[in-house]
Amino acid sequence: ALRRSQLVDNTGGHILPGRLTDKGDVSRKEKDFFGDPTMWRRGRGWYERIWPACSRGQLKVGIDATPAYHVWHNAPMNMANFFGGQKAALRIVWMVRDPVAKFWSYFWELKAYRGEWDKVQFAAWTAPKIERTKQCLSKDPNHPLWPPSLPPPFTGCAPHLDHGLYEPQLRRWLQFFAPSQMMLVSFVGYARRPAAVVRDVLVHAGVPTSAAAASANAIKGIKNRNSKVQGHGRMPRRIYHELHALYDPFVQRFY
């Protein structure tokens, strides 16, 4: 998901994040409804009440910026079923990042919860995940490893590492949505040119080009950093190379 301050706060009111849920401030952008089974069971009425009523003559775009939707196997199916005949109006934006960098960032995001996470070391946390992934690949080097609910012996392959298995996940989304509905955004490209990416996302969402350009001008000069990994150094080189070797075939198939 793109930063909420840029897609919500600087877009002239065209983008609406809906109201907060019981998950707190994070729910300003992340609703989790279509992926998390506990949220999905809350039903249509619960989700629809999050959003304000539409006004005639005003273009308003609701944004559910839940990054984990690509990992939840049922998310695209739930979304397609929920919107039914209106699903063609949906526009999907997927920000993709180098899977190894994504995994490193994810670890430090978990560490930010503190408590028991203060005791967790990256190498010890990662080792069993890599070992499980290798076990699955030894049985079939071309296996997608995702979703975790696959039948044995491929149940629970790539724990946490499956966040970077974009190729099988993209194929899943394309079972329910047309390619023209999807926009893939590079994390690196966004970090380098946030204004241009925000403009393109807004146009993709149906915001008039003039309004999209005005919003882009409002954020020019803003620098983006991934604060989750700031001050934590670099991933150990041995693990870095090992993860790259695991992900490389999936990255090539994704391209």
Side-chain angles (χ1 to χ4, degrees), residues 182-249:
M182 302 193 68
M183 178 181 183
L184 302 185
V185 174
S186 159
F187 177 88
V188 172
Y190 169 63
R192 292 174 178 170
R193 301 172 63 238
V197 171
V198 167
R199 178 200 64 211
D200 292 346
V201 168
L202 291 175
V203 170
H204 178 65
V207 174
T209 303
S210 58
S215 297
N217 287 331
I219 66 169
K220 280 186 176 178
I222 295 177
K223 299 295 183 181
N224 291 296
R225 293 186 177 182
N226 180 14
S227 58
K228 296 182 182 67
V229 299
Q230 294 297 311
H232 297 300
R234 296 185 177 184
M235 182 185 300
R237 298 302 295 178
R238 176 185 60 79
I239 301 177
Y240 176 87
H241 289 300
E242 196 167 14
L243 290 175
H244 260 290
L246 287 175
Y247 277 124
D248 187 62

Side-chain angles (χ1 to χ4, degrees), residues 60-123:
K60 302 292 183 180
V61 179
I63 180 172
D64 182 346
T66 302
Y69 278 157
H70 77 285
V71 182
W72 291 102
H73 185 258
N74 286 339
M77 179 180 68
N78 290 343
M79 198 175 293
N81 290 338
F82 183 93
F83 287 98
Q86 296 179 309
K87 78 169 188 174
L90 294 179
R91 294 297 178 264
I92 299 164
V93 179
W94 187 357
M95 179 176 284
V96 293
R97 184 180 188 180
D98 171 77
V100 178
K102 181 180 178 70
F103 185 71
W104 180 238
S105 176
Y106 178 64
F107 172 74
W108 289 107
E109 180 181 358
L110 295 175
K111 290 279 283 185
Y113 287 105
R114 305 301 300 268
E116 289 298 313
W117 280 102
D118 287 340
K119 305 174 185 177
V120 179
Q121 299 299 315
F122 180 73

Side-chain angles (χ1 to χ4, degrees), residues 4 6 14-15 21 24 46 51 58 73 78-79 91 96 101 125 132 136 139 144 157 164 178 191 196 203 223 241:
R4 67 186 187 190
Q6 294 181 4
H14 289 291
I15 303 296
T21 72
W46 179 87
W51 310 100
Q58 291 184 322
H73 185 258
N78 290 343
M79 198 175 293
R91 294 297 178 264
V96 293
W125 182 75
R132 174 58 183 153
C136 293
K139 295 178 175 64
C157 289
V203 170
K223 299 295 183 181
H241 289 300

